Amino acid sequence: MKRTLLILGVTSVFVASLSAFKPEPKTEPAITIAAPAIPKIATMQMSGGELLIAKSDCIGCHHKINKLIGPSYTDVAKKYPKNDKSITYLADKIIKGGSGVWGKIPMTPHPKISQSDAKLMAKYILSLKK
């Protein structure tokens, strides 16, 4: 009986010591890789007009620099002076659409865009004038 209790005691101590054992994780030397500088997101804020353009279907026909179906925004900015008359004219073109100014392909009207939003979009486009 003493022998059984001794074996049982040694076994329980052995099991308890195994449960408390935590192997140390293997660590490899750290490798430092120099990454190129990434601009902070805060410096890449969009203006109100640019954001409205990005959220609309304008990108299907227009690009900031390259001509697609319609003229690039920079080409539009080169053609019109940055004044209230041009902003109102372009805002009306955005809302009502049009044709003949940049070729035979008509611009799709966007009647759901408000006059104030269209003016913000026009101001952004004219701000691209170099």
Side-chain angles (χ1 to χ4, degrees):
M1 175 92 168
K2 288 184 180 182
R3 190 174 190 186
T4 305
L5 286 175
L6 181 62
I7 292 174
L8 188 59
V10 170
T11 305
S12 60
V13 170
F14 178 72
V15 170
S17 68
L18 284 179
S19 65
F21 176 73
K22 294 181 183 174
E24 291 184 30
K26 293 182 181 179
T27 57
E28 296 181 16
I31 299 173
T32 305
I33 300 173
I38 299 172
K40 293 181 181 178
I41 293 175
T43 61
M44 300 176 71
Q45 293 179 348
M46 298 174 105
S47 70
E50 187 178 10
L51 188 60
L52 288 168
I53 288 171
K55 289 182 175 183
S56 71
D57 66 345
C58 299
I59 60 173
C61 297
H62 300 279
H63 185 265
K64 186 175 181 177
I65 300 168
N66 301 316
K67 178 187 181 336
L68 296 176
I69 295 170
S72 70
Y73 298 134
T74 53
D75 287 342
V76 173
K78 287 177 192 173
K79 184 170 184 158
Y80 298 99
K82 189 176 180 181
N83 58 34
D84 289 339
K85 183 179 176 183
S86 295
I87 290 169
T88 301
Y89 172 78
L90 291 173
D92 287 341
K93 282 289 187 182
I94 291 168
I95 295 169
K96 297 175 185 173
S99 65
V101 178
W102 294 94
K104 294 179 182 180
I105 300 174
M107 180 170 158
T108 307
H110 299 85
K112 292 185 180 182
I113 295 177
S114 70
Q115 185 71 26
S116 61
D117 284 351
K119 283 186 175 186
L120 279 175
M121 295 163 90
K123 284 179 186 179
Y124 165 71
I125 292 167
L126 293 177
S127 75
L128 299 173
K129 188 175 212 160
K130 293 181 182 179

